[in-house]
Amino acid sequence: MSQTVSKKFLRSVDTCVDDNLLGYVKLHTGVKLLKKHSAVIRDDLESIKRDGRVTILSGGGAGHEPFAAGFVGRGMLTGAVSGAIFTSPTSANILATVRLLATGNSGGLLMLVANYTGDRLTFGQALERARLEGLRVEMIVVAEDCALSAVSKSVGRRGLCGMIFMQKLAGAMAESGHSLPDIVDHLNRAAKKMGTMGVCQSSCSLPGAGALFQLGADELELGLGIHGEVGVKRIKVRSSEAIVEMMIRHMTNTESTSHVELKRGDCVAVLVNNLGSLTHIEMNIVAHDVFTLLTQVMELKVERCYVGTLQTSLDMGGFSISIMHVTPSLLRYLDAPTTAPAWLQVGSGLVTNDSLLFVDPMAVEETSFAVPASTAKLNRHETDLLQNCIIRGCEVLILNEAKLNALDSGCGDGDCGTTLKKGAKAVLYLIESDLDWSCPMDIFLRIGSAVSESMGGCSGGLLSIFFTSASGALSNRLTTIDWCNALEIDPLAAAYQILRAQLEVGSRPLAALTESVAEAREVCKQTAGMKAKAGRASYVGSDFLGQPDAGATAVVLILDAILEIVKAG
């Protein structure tokens, strides 16, 4: 079976890396592109050399953006060199960049390299050649992956998003005038006290190719790298909270040779990194789970928590967690200002007490919004009938959630059933409270408030208006015509017109209701060919017509349920 080629917005697969770098330097001030060598350089390089400050170089294969070019700026990297996608830069390009950054600079150059064989070889080759040329260059290999329980002595741990911590520390120290040996010493000590682990729900896909590996609908890949390589374990989908706990327990497992030591009271900085295509919703939930586990369960002091997209694996649907021990001096370097566009500037004093995260709503007396009391009351039989109709209507909406979502997906956003289910559950919860069922005006008014609070979108607004309007129609009298008038709203227009006409010619209420429900079913079928005039569906072309409207279908389901109860009663 042929592999599906991924779709990307590119000029050309062959030139996408160079096109990306050119676009980046055009759109960001303070940086320039090293001609023919795929490297982004700070435009104040000559000033750095004159001051004798250390220059910082990093890089690697493309596909990890914003790493590494996004971290070039005052207070972070002086330069970043890029290879092809998931391919280490050529030693020639690295050497050309090293010569530019180190020549004439008494402060010297520090290269930060992730622990991958290709990167170590090409950066290492450039390092040896630069030293032969008399340039002052040092190299630190970052290797903080905690996924592998038994690490090969020849290859070692992989370098992952902890690299960003190293780049920030090195850049801040260099900016403040620290010497090359001092920076190397601080970074080597910090690198030994950090760890990273990743997980994904979908693989990445290379431009011009398909996904690098496949995951089942119920599978996650744990402990993966950032080049599309599979992880150490394939696990079943579970909640974000459970996944975070599994990852951090693995990272801190003392039986693993790659674990990071953490104990109660330790001060740490945390980086929750989007590996490519997770939504902001997912990232905020994951970050909250990470923060809660570290602070409330493990009782660590999370001094800084960075959440965002820093080092990706193209469009991979996953995230990584990096944890680093911090001291007051390291925190100063993390907090030091930088012009690097991709760095996440966060504040101190993170709130660990959830109760401090909320603001209480204004305390307003309910009587301030009281409506006139109703004089219209139901008898016991009518009360039971009303309650049963409302309960059954809610039940059918809950049971038909998937059906309504499917109908809504062609011309809407596929959530009509879910939204109506929320409202139905809110009404059922309301029914459990002590209500005066003999007063339909009050019941409908309360239902209107319940759906308004629990439902969003057009459905919530329409239903809230309907029940509020219906309560007004039933405030003084409860004749069959009054109940009919309670239906006088556009979504129920067809049923209302037939019901009203049948009642006015003397038809029995049950017969009139049966006729009106039949008319509602017929009109619902006709919506399959109607073009919407409002809402999201109004933007959808006629090619997507053919299915009845989800909202109209919901109305018919409710009316059918009411008819069933009335016939039985």
Side-chain angles (χ1 to χ4, degrees):
M1 185 175 68
S2 62
Q3 189 181 45
T4 302
V5 175
S6 64
K7 293 181 284 188
K8 312 285 185 188
F9 291 106
L10 306 173
R11 290 180 174 180
S12 161
V13 171
D14 294 335
T15 64
C16 65
V17 173
D18 290 334
D19 293 341
N20 163 61
L21 292 174
L22 180 59
Y24 182 82
V25 297
K26 275 189 175 181
L27 299 173
H28 292 85
T29 59
V31 291
K32 292 184 178 180
L33 194 59
L34 182 57
K35 190 180 297 184
K36 298 182 180 179
H37 292 293
S38 301
V40 174
I41 308 294
R42 280 172 59 175
D43 66 1
D44 62 346
L45 176 60
E46 292 307 313
S47 173
I48 298 172
K49 290 182 178 182
R50 284 195 302 271
D51 295 341
R53 283 177 281 145
V54 176
T55 49
I56 311 295
L57 173 65
S58 191
H64 305 303
E65 289 73 20
F67 174 89
F71 299 104
V72 175
R74 188 176 296 109
M76 283 196 77
L77 299 179
T78 319
V81 59
S82 176
I85 291 179
F86 293 172
T87 304
S88 58
T90 65
S91 58
N93 283 351
I94 298 170
L95 182 58
T97 311
V98 168
R99 285 169 174 161
L100 180 66
L101 299 185
T103 301
N105 183 10
S106 61
L109 166 68
L110 174 60
M111 296 194 298
L112 298 175
V113 181
N115 188 32
Y116 289 98
T117 302
D119 291 329
R120 293 189 65 167
L121 286 173
T122 55
F123 276 91
Q125 185 179 352
L127 171 70
E128 295 304 320
R129 178 57 187 266
R131 284 176 171 173
L132 284 175
E133 295 176 3
L135 299 177
R136 189 183 180 196
V137 184
E138 295 290 343
M139 183 169 81
I140 291 178
V141 177
V142 179
E144 91 289 4
D145 180 19
C146 292
L148 304 174
S149 298
V151 181
S152 167
K153 292 182 180 179
S154 60
V155 178
R157 301 160 70 183
R158 295 172 293 194
L160 300 173
C161 201
M163 167 67 84
I164 310 301
F165 278 140
M166 297 295 102
Q167 292 176 349
K168 184 62 176 71
L169 296 176
M173 293 185 72
E175 198 70 33
S176 61
H178 284 265
S179 67
L180 182 56
D182 193 21
I183 297 174
V184 170
D185 178 62
H186 272 76
L187 263 63
N188 278 330
R189 284 188 280 121
K192 293 176 182 177
K193 293 187 175 183
M194 72 173 179
T196 297
M197 191 168 185
V199 67
C200 78
Q201 58 194 6
S202 61
S203 173
C204 59
S205 55
L206 299 176
L212 291 183
F213 60 86
Q214 298 293 331
L215 286 171
D218 63 342
E219 291 181 325
L220 301 173
E221 194 76 20
L222 185 68
L224 65 157
I226 55 171
H227 299 94
E229 65 268 39
V230 296
V232 297
K233 185 188 294 186
R234 192 157 289 191
I235 60 175
K236 294 298 182 181
V237 170
R238 58 201 72 187
S239 71
S240 62
E241 191 175 25
I243 292 297
V244 166
E245 181 177 6
M246 176 181 288
M247 294 171 70
I248 294 180
R249 295 304 179 197
H250 187 107
M251 293 171 67
T252 57
N253 181 5
T254 55
E255 295 181 1
S256 169
T257 57
S258 64
H259 75 281
V260 57
E261 294 273 1
L262 291 174
K263 65 181 185 300
R264 178 183 178 184
D266 281 348
C267 297
V268 297
V270 179
L271 198 162
V272 184
N273 171 57
N274 190 341
L275 284 170
S277 61
L278 289 196
T279 62
H280 285 279
I281 291 175
E282 292 168 290
M283 289 299 295
N284 285 328
I285 292 171
V286 165
H288 178 251
D289 291 336
V290 172
F291 186 76
T292 300
L293 178 64
L294 294 180
T295 58
Q296 298 183 14
V297 179
M298 300 179 68
E299 297 185 58
L300 304 179
K301 293 183 67 177
V302 177
E303 301 285 0
R304 303 290 184 273
C305 188
Y306 305 89
V307 183
T309 304
L310 296 104
Q311 184 188 63
T312 63
S313 182
L314 289 170
D315 54 354
M316 181 174 284
F319 66 92
S320 63
I321 303 169
S322 299
I323 303 173
M324 181 179 71
H325 286 263
V326 291
T327 61
S329 62
L330 292 183
L331 286 174
R332 284 197 300 273
Y333 299 133
L334 290 177
D335 293 341
T338 177
T339 59
W343 175 250
L344 304 170
Q345 197 71 44
V346 301
S348 59
L350 296 172
V351 177
T352 57
N353 186 345
D354 284 359
S355 65
L356 300 177
L357 299 173
F358 298 93
V359 176
D360 290 331
M362 292 177 60
V364 181
E365 293 284 342
E366 277 292 326
T367 53
S368 301
F369 303 101
V371 296
S374 171
T375 57
K377 301 289 183 178
L378 298 174
N379 61 36
R380 180 61 181 270
H381 172 72
E382 294 168 337
T383 295
D384 291 343
L385 190 62
L386 174 61
Q387 187 172 8
N388 290 336
C389 285
I390 292 174
I391 291 174
R392 185 57 188 152
C394 291
E395 289 174 344
V396 297
L397 289 180
I398 293 171
L399 289 171
N400 285 275
E401 176 189 9
K403 175 182 178 180
L404 296 173
N405 280 343
L407 290 174
D408 190 42
S409 62
C411 59
D413 49 8
D415 69 345
C416 179
T418 301
T419 302
L420 290 171
K421 179 182 176 180
K422 289 180 181 178
K425 293 179 77 171
V427 173
L428 290 177
Y429 180 78
L430 175 69
I431 289 173
E432 294 177 2
S433 60
D434 187 20
L435 300 177
D436 180 7
W437 282 94
S438 68
C439 181
M441 171 188 169
D442 184 58
I443 294 297
F444 280 22
L445 196 60
R446 289 177 180 269
I447 291 176
S449 296
V451 297
S452 175
E453 293 172 4
S454 61
M455 297 171 62
C458 293
S459 299
L462 287 172
L463 285 174
S464 179
I465 292 171
F466 167 68
F467 282 110
T468 302
S469 175
S471 70
L474 301 171
S475 59
N476 297 315
R477 298 180 308 171
L478 298 175
T479 66
T480 53
I481 293 296
D482 293 319
W483 283 99
C484 179
N485 289 338
L487 298 177
E488 192 175 3
I489 189 171
D490 285 348
L492 298 174
Y496 164 75
Q497 290 168 2
I498 294 296
L499 183 61
R500 178 84 185 219
Q502 290 292 317
L503 291 173
E504 286 179 344
V505 297
S507 297
R508 296 175 63 85
L510 179 57
L513 179 61
T514 302
E515 287 291 327
S516 68
V517 173
E519 179 66 14
R521 291 195 205 101
E522 184 58 34
V523 172
C524 178
K525 293 177 184 178
Q526 295 172 13
T527 62
M530 293 181 182
K531 180 73 172 70
K533 296 180 179 180
R536 289 188 182 93
S538 63
Y539 304 107
V540 178
S542 57
D543 292 345
F544 289 90
L545 299 178
Q547 294 289 336
D549 176 71
T553 302
V555 169
V556 170
L557 288 171
I558 294 171
L559 290 176
D560 276 332
I562 292 173
L563 180 60
E564 175 188 336
I565 295 296
V566 172
K567 284 181 177 180

